Amino acid sequence: MMTTTYVGIDLHKRTQTWVALAENGKDTLFTREFPVTPAGVEAGIKLSKSCGEKIVVAIEPTCGWLWVVPLLRECGMEVHISNPRKVKAIADSLQKTDKNDATTLAQLVRTGIMHESSEVSPEMQTLRAIVRERVFLVRLRASMKCRLESVVTRNGRHRIEGSLSSQKGKTALIESGEREWKRSLDVIADLSAYVTALDKEVATYAKQPIPKLLMTLPGVGTITAVSMWAEVGDYARFSTPEKLCAFAGLVPTERSSGGVQKLGRITKAGSTILRYILVEAAMRIRDTEKSNVLYQFYKTIK
């Protein structure tokens, strides 16, 4: 009869702790720490295979899990990705060590009560990385624009008329002779060039069925549609709209008991980027005639 070994991996930037439990869940077969390198992962795999024929692994989606998990699966291991938000046994532990965290993961996957994270395809991971890089650069550019406004104000905002982002404003900033102002303009221009290049790359995905469908929504354009798709992934895994809203963190927190319902602020769970772009899209419903019904609904709530 095939024996099963349950392995919990606590993954960090430089080190990883492996704990292997026997099939009965009581006996610890080994506890080892390895470097987070391909050689370190291979050493853990070799040691695990010496303990049993079937290896079931539990790992959190942190640090280098994207390259570690494929190595584990290539060796025939059954890998489960835990949901860190829902693994409360680790988050609330009063004895939180790498060894204890790895042991908890192994115990949870053994009993089958571990909440798992959903995985997306490598292609969707690539798109998600592009979208998140774009968001990072856009926010960095906005930060630089705010900083430029601040340093110009510090040295006399009256010296520059109008908007600093206009051509007239940019010319005045350059002609002022202030080197800091010129450097800020150069950084903003470089970031804009990178963002434009990423916009073109993101736009190539807009012909896919899901983004095309999303673009039929009022206020949703190419970038917004592709970004929503990248962050959500497979829409079919949400059986109701409410579950999708919960995934985006746009539902209220709740502390209800004894027949009394108490709702608080939104949970802010899930993807920050998805939540941001959904709110931005909702803010644009008043811009087009086809969204008039939505805008009337907004005014009614307001």
Side-chain angles (χ1 to χ4, degrees):
M1 187 174 178
M2 183 179 294
T3 58
T4 303
T5 301
Y6 298 93
V7 178
I9 301 177
D10 189 50
L11 192 63
H12 292 278
K13 186 184 296 184
R14 294 184 175 85
T15 61
Q16 53 183 325
T17 301
W18 292 46
V19 173
L21 299 180
E23 199 164 29
N24 59 20
K26 298 178 181 179
D27 300 326
T28 300
L29 303 179
F30 70 81
T31 299
R32 288 286 299 275
E33 183 179 287
F34 303 100
V36 183
T37 62
V41 175
E42 289 173 7
I45 292 171
K46 184 177 180 180
L47 184 57
S48 299
K49 285 192 171 184
S50 68
C51 298
E53 299 165 325
K54 181 180 179 181
I55 311 297
V56 178
V57 178
I59 186 172
E60 286 187 312
T62 57
C63 299
W65 75 279
L66 281 175
W67 66 265
V68 171
V69 169
L71 292 180
L72 300 176
R73 286 178 173 156
E74 286 172 8
C75 294
M77 291 183 167
E78 179 184 321
V79 183
H80 298 263
I81 315 297
S82 74
N83 186 328
R85 180 179 288 274
K86 293 185 178 181
V87 183
K88 300 292 289 180
I90 290 178
D92 296 339
S93 174
L94 297 179
Q95 297 291 329
K96 195 174 187 313
T97 65
D98 294 345
K99 176 185 175 181
N100 289 346
D101 290 353
T103 302
T104 301
L105 286 172
Q107 290 282 15
L108 289 173
V109 76
R110 174 185 170 274
T111 55
I113 61 173
M114 184 178 75
H115 291 278
E116 297 190 36
S117 295
S118 60
E119 295 183 68
V120 298
S121 65
E123 293 76 19
M124 189 59 72
Q125 283 285 1
T126 299
L127 174 58
R128 187 175 288 180
I130 294 171
V131 167
R132 292 180 179 182
E133 180 186 7
R134 181 189 176 277
V135 169
F136 173 79
L137 293 177
V138 167
R139 289 176 174 174
L140 186 58
R141 181 178 62 181
S143 179
M144 281 300 303
K145 289 180 178 179
C146 290
R147 186 180 186 283
L148 176 60
E149 189 75 41
S150 176
V151 296
V152 172
T153 301
R154 180 185 66 200
N155 293 325
R157 185 63 176 81
H158 60 278
R159 296 167 58 184
I160 308 295
E161 296 182 5
S163 172
L164 301 184
S165 59
S166 66
Q167 190 57 49
K168 181 180 178 181
K170 292 176 182 177
T171 301
L173 287 170
I174 294 172
E175 292 177 348
S176 69
E178 295 282 354
R179 289 182 294 177
E180 186 177 11
W181 297 2
K182 174 64 167 56
R183 282 195 298 272
S184 295
L185 283 177
D186 291 342
V187 171
I188 292 170
D190 287 343
L191 290 172
S192 294
Y194 289 127
V195 170
T196 300
L198 288 172
D199 283 347
K200 293 179 180 178
E201 194 169 354
V202 169
T204 61
Y205 292 86
K207 295 181 180 179
Q208 297 292 327
I210 297 299
K212 285 176 68 176
L213 184 61
L214 290 172
M215 282 188 284
T216 64
L217 296 170
V220 176
T222 301
I223 302 300
T224 300
V226 176
S227 299
M228 289 168 62
W229 182 42
E231 290 299 311
V232 174
D234 182 13
Y235 279 80
R237 61 194 175 96
F238 299 100
S239 57
T240 64
E242 290 77 14
K243 289 184 179 180
L244 178 57
C245 291
F247 174 76
L250 289 173
V251 296
T253 54
E254 184 172 0
R255 301 284 292 182
S256 299
S257 181
V260 179
Q261 185 181 44
K262 293 183 179 180
L263 302 178
R265 62 185 184 182
I266 59 174
T267 62
K268 294 186 178 181
S271 168
T272 302
I273 294 173
L274 177 61
R275 187 163 56 254
Y276 168 77
I277 58 181
L278 286 174
V279 171
E280 286 293 305
M283 295 294 287
R284 293 197 293 269
I285 63 172
R286 52 190 164 186
D287 295 339
T288 59
E289 288 187 13
K290 67 178 182 179
S291 66
N292 186 56
V293 174
L294 283 174
Y295 186 53
Q296 293 303 321
F297 176 64
Y298 154 74
K299 289 201 297 184
T300 301
I301 294 176
K302 183 180 177 182

